[in-house]
mmCIF file of all heavy atoms in Angstrom:
data_model
loop_
_atom_site.group_PDB
_atom_site.id
_atom_site.type_symbol
_atom_site.label_atom_id
_atom_site.label_comp_id
_atom_site.label_asym_id
_atom_site.label_seq_id
_atom_site.Cartn_x
_atom_site.Cartn_y
_atom_site.Cartn_z
ATOM 1 N N HIS R 148 24.944 0.946 -9.476
ATOM 2 C CA HIS R 148 25.477 -0.166 -8.764
ATOM 3 C C HIS R 148 26.902 0.160 -8.284
ATOM 4 O O HIS R 148 27.662 0.729 -8.979
ATOM 5 C CB HIS R 148 25.449 -1.462 -9.630
ATOM 6 C CG HIS R 148 25.720 -2.694 -8.843
ATOM 7 N ND1 HIS R 148 27.029 -3.069 -8.543
ATOM 8 C CD2 HIS R 148 24.901 -3.524 -8.274
ATOM 9 C CE1 HIS R 148 26.891 -4.147 -7.772
ATOM 10 N NE2 HIS R 148 25.629 -4.489 -7.628
ATOM 11 N N PRO R 149 27.201 -0.203 -7.050
ATOM 12 C CA PRO R 149 28.530 0.146 -6.437
ATOM 13 C C PRO R 149 29.691 -0.359 -7.286
ATOM 14 O O PRO R 149 30.705 0.308 -7.373
ATOM 15 C CB PRO R 149 28.532 -0.550 -5.092
ATOM 16 C CG PRO R 149 27.204 -0.752 -4.690
ATOM 17 C CD PRO R 149 26.360 -0.829 -6.044
ATOM 18 N N ASP R 150 29.583 -1.459 -7.946
ATOM 19 C CA ASP R 150 30.667 -1.932 -8.790
ATOM 20 C C ASP R 150 31.012 -0.948 -9.995
ATOM 21 O O ASP R 150 32.210 -0.862 -10.341
ATOM 22 C CB ASP R 150 30.417 -3.301 -9.438
ATOM 23 C CG ASP R 150 30.313 -4.405 -8.439
ATOM 24 O OD1 ASP R 150 30.809 -4.180 -7.277
ATOM 25 O OD2 ASP R 150 29.830 -5.519 -8.735
ATOM 26 N N ARG R 151 30.127 -0.161 -10.423
ATOM 27 C CA ARG R 151 30.366 0.768 -11.417
ATOM 28 C C ARG R 151 31.108 1.943 -10.921
ATOM 29 O O ARG R 151 31.669 2.757 -11.771
ATOM 30 C CB ARG R 151 29.003 1.295 -12.078
ATOM 31 C CG ARG R 151 28.202 0.233 -12.848
ATOM 32 C CD ARG R 151 26.944 0.735 -13.375
ATOM 33 N NE ARG R 151 27.331 1.862 -14.279
ATOM 34 C CZ ARG R 151 27.102 1.764 -15.600
ATOM 35 N NH1 ARG R 151 26.502 0.798 -16.095
ATOM 36 N NH2 ARG R 151 27.395 2.895 -16.362
ATOM 37 N N PHE R 152 31.139 2.092 -9.635
ATOM 38 C CA PHE R 152 31.810 3.252 -9.040
ATOM 39 C C PHE R 152 32.984 2.877 -8.101
ATOM 40 O O PHE R 152 33.578 3.747 -7.426
ATOM 41 C CB PHE R 152 30.812 4.208 -8.311
ATOM 42 C CG PHE R 152 29.704 4.714 -9.115
ATOM 43 C CD1 PHE R 152 28.545 3.997 -9.383
ATOM 44 C CD2 PHE R 152 29.992 6.001 -9.711
ATOM 45 C CE1 PHE R 152 27.583 4.501 -10.218
ATOM 46 C CE2 PHE R 152 28.959 6.456 -10.479
ATOM 47 C CZ PHE R 152 27.763 5.818 -10.845
ATOM 48 N N ALA R 153 33.523 1.659 -8.333
ATOM 49 C CA ALA R 153 34.570 1.187 -7.480
ATOM 50 C C ALA R 153 35.822 1.966 -7.644
ATOM 51 O O ALA R 153 36.619 2.105 -6.699
ATOM 52 C CB ALA R 153 34.800 -0.335 -7.827
ATOM 53 N N HIS R 154 36.131 2.502 -8.750
ATOM 54 C CA HIS R 154 37.353 3.236 -9.032
ATOM 55 C C HIS R 154 37.071 4.780 -9.129
ATOM 56 O O HIS R 154 37.880 5.515 -9.489
ATOM 57 C CB HIS R 154 38.059 2.779 -10.264
ATOM 58 C CG HIS R 154 38.388 1.335 -10.257
ATOM 59 N ND1 HIS R 154 39.350 0.781 -9.407
ATOM 60 C CD2 HIS R 154 37.900 0.316 -10.961
ATOM 61 C CE1 HIS R 154 39.381 -0.507 -9.520
ATOM 62 N NE2 HIS R 154 38.563 -0.856 -10.533
ATOM 63 N N SER R 155 35.942 5.179 -8.656
ATOM 64 C CA SER R 155 35.527 6.642 -8.682
ATOM 65 C C SER R 155 35.894 7.203 -7.313
ATOM 66 O O SER R 155 36.302 6.583 -6.342
ATOM 67 C CB SER R 155 33.988 6.743 -8.925
ATOM 68 O OG SER R 155 33.637 6.174 -10.115
ATOM 69 N N SER R 156 35.777 8.548 -7.254
ATOM 70 C CA SER R 156 36.077 9.258 -6.014
ATOM 71 C C SER R 156 35.056 8.872 -4.971
ATOM 72 O O SER R 156 33.917 8.384 -5.252
ATOM 73 C CB SER R 156 36.012 10.757 -6.344
ATOM 74 O OG SER R 156 34.657 11.116 -6.507
ATOM 75 N N SER R 157 35.400 9.116 -3.737
ATOM 76 C CA SER R 157 34.520 8.767 -2.540
ATOM 77 C C SER R 157 33.184 9.569 -2.684
ATOM 78 O O SER R 157 32.148 9.132 -2.410
ATOM 79 C CB SER R 157 35.159 8.967 -1.318
ATOM 80 O OG SER R 157 35.511 10.363 -1.146
ATOM 81 N N GLN R 158 33.259 10.812 -3.221
ATOM 82 C CA GLN R 158 32.122 11.628 -3.410
ATOM 83 C C GLN R 158 31.160 11.023 -4.467
ATOM 84 O O GLN R 158 29.984 10.935 -4.277
ATOM 85 C CB GLN R 158 32.386 13.087 -3.880
ATOM 86 C CG GLN R 158 31.238 13.928 -3.949
ATOM 87 C CD GLN R 158 31.487 15.427 -4.268
ATOM 88 O OE1 GLN R 158 32.748 15.715 -4.360
ATOM 89 N NE2 GLN R 158 30.570 16.176 -4.348
ATOM 90 N N GLU R 159 31.678 10.563 -5.573
ATOM 91 C CA GLU R 159 30.949 9.890 -6.626
ATOM 92 C C GLU R 159 30.329 8.526 -6.103
ATOM 93 O O GLU R 159 29.199 8.245 -6.420
ATOM 94 C CB GLU R 159 31.705 9.587 -7.844
ATOM 95 C CG GLU R 159 32.075 10.856 -8.599
ATOM 96 C CD GLU R 159 33.071 10.550 -9.765
ATOM 97 O OE1 GLU R 159 34.025 9.748 -9.577
ATOM 98 O OE2 GLU R 159 32.875 11.117 -10.865
ATOM 99 N N GLN R 160 31.055 7.923 -5.295
ATOM 100 C CA GLN R 160 30.513 6.614 -4.683
ATOM 101 C C GLN R 160 29.372 6.986 -3.766
ATOM 102 O O GLN R 160 28.357 6.244 -3.779
ATOM 103 C CB GLN R 160 31.606 5.966 -3.894
ATOM 104 C CG GLN R 160 32.714 5.286 -4.752
ATOM 105 C CD GLN R 160 33.741 4.642 -4.048
ATOM 106 O OE1 GLN R 160 33.840 4.768 -2.716
ATOM 107 N NE2 GLN R 160 34.702 4.039 -4.710
ATOM 108 N N LEU R 161 29.506 8.026 -2.930
ATOM 109 C CA LEU R 161 28.533 8.453 -2.054
ATOM 110 C C LEU R 161 27.237 8.848 -2.772
ATOM 111 O O LEU R 161 26.105 8.524 -2.430
ATOM 112 C CB LEU R 161 28.900 9.633 -1.144
ATOM 113 C CG LEU R 161 27.906 10.164 -0.198
ATOM 114 C CD1 LEU R 161 27.469 9.025 0.819
ATOM 115 C CD2 LEU R 161 28.516 11.391 0.612
ATOM 116 N N LEU R 162 27.402 9.644 -3.907
ATOM 117 C CA LEU R 162 26.277 10.040 -4.717
ATOM 118 C C LEU R 162 25.513 8.877 -5.320
ATOM 119 O O LEU R 162 24.321 8.829 -5.390
ATOM 120 C CB LEU R 162 26.676 11.006 -5.835
ATOM 121 C CG LEU R 162 27.107 12.419 -5.387
ATOM 122 C CD1 LEU R 162 27.754 13.197 -6.553
ATOM 123 C CD2 LEU R 162 25.901 13.113 -4.806
ATOM 124 N N ALA R 163 26.265 7.811 -5.764
ATOM 125 C CA ALA R 163 25.704 6.592 -6.272
ATOM 126 C C ALA R 163 24.889 5.868 -5.178
ATOM 127 O O ALA R 163 23.773 5.368 -5.481
ATOM 128 C CB ALA R 163 26.819 5.677 -6.807
ATOM 129 N N VAL R 164 25.382 5.771 -3.981
ATOM 130 C CA VAL R 164 24.662 5.171 -2.887
ATOM 131 C C VAL R 164 23.353 5.938 -2.568
ATOM 132 O O VAL R 164 22.369 5.333 -2.500
ATOM 133 C CB VAL R 164 25.525 5.053 -1.648
ATOM 134 C CG1 VAL R 164 24.680 4.686 -0.426
ATOM 135 C CG2 VAL R 164 26.621 4.116 -1.916
ATOM 136 N N GLN R 165 23.456 7.226 -2.569
ATOM 137 C CA GLN R 165 22.316 8.121 -2.362
ATOM 138 C C GLN R 165 21.226 7.902 -3.510
ATOM 139 O O GLN R 165 20.133 7.829 -3.121
ATOM 140 C CB GLN R 165 22.653 9.633 -2.219
ATOM 141 C CG GLN R 165 23.434 9.860 -0.878
ATOM 142 C CD GLN R 165 23.978 11.355 -0.946
ATOM 143 O OE1 GLN R 165 24.160 11.988 -1.940
ATOM 144 N NE2 GLN R 165 24.284 11.768 0.331
ATOM 145 N N LYS R 166 21.807 7.856 -4.685
ATOM 146 C CA LYS R 166 20.755 7.755 -5.824
ATOM 147 C C LYS R 166 20.098 6.294 -5.744
ATOM 148 O O LYS R 166 19.000 6.225 -6.029
ATOM 149 C CB LYS R 166 21.542 7.913 -7.149
ATOM 150 C CG LYS R 166 20.617 7.905 -8.381
ATOM 151 C CD LYS R 166 19.740 9.183 -8.316
ATOM 152 C CE LYS R 166 18.993 9.252 -9.637
ATOM 153 N NZ LYS R 166 17.943 10.278 -9.702
#
Side-chain angles (χ1 to χ4, degrees):
H148 194 276
D150 290 347
R151 293 183 60 116
F152 296 89
H154 301 293
S155 299
S156 71
S157 59
Q158 184 176 357
E159 289 174 317
Q160 290 175 354
L161 178 61
L162 287 172
V164 168
Q165 289 172 339
K166 187 66 175 173

